[in-house]
Amino acid sequence: MVQQYLNQLKQELATGNALEHSYRPALKNFIESLDAAIRAVNEPSRSEHGAPDFIFLNKTNVNLILGYAETKDINVDLDQIEKSEQLKRYLGYSNLILTNYLEFRFFRNGEKYQTITVAKLVGQDIITTEENFSLLERELKSFLE
């Protein structure tokens, strides 16, 4: 599943015109492929701590919020984003992912507990880190439970 997701990212990147929002359909498809009971909503309505890019819901009970994700462009350094006022607000959510689509930082109750990198951007190429694929899948499934 991770390889398919990264292939979609590579296709977008290869256009030479992709920006942060261009990669969101790949992330949505990837998250929803992990569990048929998950609905990933891109650009959800504003909630108590702001408007993160994704909200993850239980498909059969859309009032059950499983988590949130904030995405940044594929070339963005997440260390800088982690220090931003925006992310400080978002840490008010009990379950949050910060990602640039290649690196995933997991937060629970405002504390970072895991970082998983499945690829790196080198020039205009995405170089995979296959040994982390299963780790990411397991962590995302756990995050969304």
Side-chain angles (χ1 to χ4, degrees):
M1 283 186 269
V2 175
Q3 188 60 61
Q4 290 171 324
Y5 162 70
L6 292 172
N7 288 344
Q8 288 181 335
L9 297 182
K10 287 179 182 184
Q11 288 175 352
E12 291 300 321
L13 182 64
T15 68
N17 290 300
L19 295 173
E20 173 187 329
H21 291 224
S22 306
Y23 304 105
R24 288 188 187 174
L27 182 61
K28 176 181 172 57
N29 292 340
F30 175 47
I31 295 292
E32 290 179 346
S33 75
L34 294 170
D35 187 333
I38 305 296
R39 163 132 326 130
V41 179
N42 180 17
E43 291 292 325
S45 59
R46 183 171 286 281
S47 56
E48 64 184 310
H49 301 292
D53 298 319
F54 279 94
I55 186 171
F56 306 117
L57 304 172
N58 180 297
K59 258 188 189 171
T60 56
N61 179 2
V62 293
N63 294 318
L64 182 58
I65 298 170
L66 306 172
Y68 296 86
E70 177 63 17
T71 62
K72 296 300 177 190
D73 207 347
I74 205 162
N75 61 350
V76 169
D77 177 1
L78 296 181
D79 288 339
Q80 296 302 314
I81 302 304
E82 221 177 289
K83 298 172 190 168
S84 72
E85 288 303 313
Q86 178 190 41
L87 196 72
K88 288 176 185 169
R89 282 193 318 275
Y90 290 174
L91 291 177
Y93 296 115
S94 60
N95 225 15
L96 177 73
I97 298 169
L98 172 64
T99 185
N100 62 6
Y101 302 100
L102 306 177
E103 178 181 335
F104 292 77
R105 296 183 182 190
F106 295 86
F107 298 83
R108 185 160 291 127
N109 299 317
E111 298 293 322
K112 181 168 57 174
Y113 67 90
Q114 178 77 283
T115 298
I116 302 170
T117 302
V118 291
K120 293 202 181 294
L121 184 64
V122 178
Q124 284 299 99
D125 197 13
I126 294 174
I127 308 301
T128 61
T129 311
E130 290 182 33
E131 60 268 22
N132 291 342
F133 286 10
S134 61
L135 177 61
L136 178 62
E137 286 182 24
R138 280 193 312 272
E139 191 57 50
L140 282 168
K141 286 177 183 178
S142 175
F143 174 88
L144 294 166
E145 283 182 346

